[in-house]
Amino acid sequence: MAKNFLFKELNERIKAAGEYVCLEDVYGQSFIGSALSGKTLTINGTPGNALGCYLDGAVIEVQGNAQDAAGDTMNDGKIIIHGNAGDALGYAMRGGSIFVRGNAGYRAGIHMKEYKEKKPVIVIGGKTGSFLGEYLAGGLIVVLGIGAEGEQPVGNFTGTGMHGGKIFIRTEKEITALPEQVAVDVAANDDLREIEGVVNEFASLFGMDAASLLKDQFLILKPNAKNPYKQLYTAN
């Protein structure tokens, strides 16, 4: 029963426990699983802000919703959220993967980056708020728009400041209010092969049919080759 513990004591107990840990009655404690490695953590309840921040190889599965900044600066591992996620999902994420069955709030994937073999992935089953992939420097974001068919599954200003990485959006709708530094196109079959594995994993985690999702149209967003932001972050 986690409801009577503050986050520091809760994390100490998690680290002292065995390989598999289950928390019951979680009520908004922040920083659960901070820098955790080598464990599988199941959470029944609603974890607070910065769930799995600096995560370093552990697997965290939330049987419910998560609040803001889940996966903040995570380095490796996996976060699985069976409900919705709040704002700033995967903030500055640099490795590992996050799977959200439902929706995510504003600024999901902000400042995501990749280096050599480290390539972070976020897959969102529903829709997202504005500023998805803001200042995206690397990695992969997939928005499946489940339940949002017939409407734009992302908010405004998607990819603002984007200078690396890719964003895939399952939709038949035109994405409006895109900044000039973002190039958008319909994803070709070769493009879809890049996300086939993570969509299959998403479908397996949440009991869905990957083939029925992948047969639909996806848009792919990349940094514009003439992107002025890239000059601020990379050497010429």
Side-chain angles (χ1 to χ4, degrees), residues 155-176:
N156 294 327
F157 313 116
T158 295
T160 295
M162 179 180 182
H163 54 282
K166 296 177 184 177
I167 301 173
F168 286 80
I169 304 170
R170 174 178 164 267
T171 184
E172 297 286 341
K173 302 284 287 184
E174 180 183 359
I175 304 300
T176 59

Side-chain angles (χ1 to χ4, degrees), residues 178-208:
L178 285 176
E180 290 184 0
Q181 69 267 17
V182 175
V184 59
D185 205 348
V186 175
N189 289 334
D190 286 346
D191 297 316
L192 293 177
R193 290 190 188 96
E194 186 172 354
I195 65 169
E196 185 175 358
V198 295
V199 173
N200 277 322
E201 186 172 2
F202 172 92
S204 177
L205 288 169
F206 301 121
M208 298 185 188

Side-chain angles (χ1 to χ4, degrees), residues 17-232:
E19 182 179 352
Y20 297 95
V21 183
C22 181
L23 300 182
E24 299 285 349
D25 293 330
V26 174
Y27 285 101
Q29 294 97 328
S30 298
F31 311 113
I32 294 176
S34 174
L36 195 64
S37 63
K39 293 182 184 289
T40 297
L41 174 62
T42 300
I43 297 175
N44 293 316
T46 304
N49 290 353
L51 167 74
C53 60
Y54 311 110
L55 195 71
D56 200 23
V59 176
I60 299 177
E61 186 162 10
V62 181
Q63 300 292 343
N65 300 322
Q67 294 183 6
D68 296 346
D72 182 348
T73 324
M74 68 182 283
N75 183 58
D76 198 3
K78 189 177 299 182
I79 297 176
I80 304 159
I81 300 170
H82 285 260
N84 300 319
D87 296 340
L89 176 73
Y91 176 87
M93 184 180 175
R94 59 195 185 206
S97 54
I98 300 177
F99 296 89
V100 180
R101 177 171 185 152
N103 304 322
Y106 294 92
R107 290 188 159 90
I110 180 175
H111 283 299
M112 273 176 60
K113 61 205 68 160
E114 65 181 85
Y115 180 69
K116 293 185 177 179
E117 77 283 357
K118 292 284 189 181
K119 185 174 182 179
V121 174
I122 295 177
V123 183
I124 298 163
K127 56 187 180 179
T128 73
S130 296
F131 295 100
L132 171 72
E134 187 178 24
Y135 304 119
L136 187 67
L140 183 63
I141 299 175
V142 181
V143 179
L144 295 172
I146 299 169
E149 290 82 2
E151 60 180 289
Q152 181 171 296
V154 297
N156 294 327
F157 313 116
T158 295
T160 295
M162 179 180 182
H163 54 282
K166 296 177 184 177
I167 301 173
F168 286 80
I169 304 170
R170 174 178 164 267
T171 184
E172 297 286 341
K173 302 284 287 184
E174 180 183 359
I175 304 300
T176 59
L178 285 176
E180 290 184 0
Q181 69 267 17
V182 175
V184 59
D185 205 348
V186 175
N189 289 334
D190 286 346
D191 297 316
L192 293 177
R193 290 190 188 96
E194 186 172 354
I195 65 169
E196 185 175 358
V198 295
V199 173
N200 277 322
E201 186 172 2
F202 172 92
S204 177
L205 288 169
F206 301 121
M208 298 185 188
D209 180 19
S212 68
L213 297 170
L214 288 166
K215 70 176 177 56
D216 294 335
Q217 175 178 284
F218 281 78
L219 299 181
I220 180 171
L221 279 59
K222 302 178 184 178
N224 192 313
K226 299 179 180 178
N227 179 2
Y229 283 84
K230 187 171 185 178
Q231 299 172 21
L232 302 177

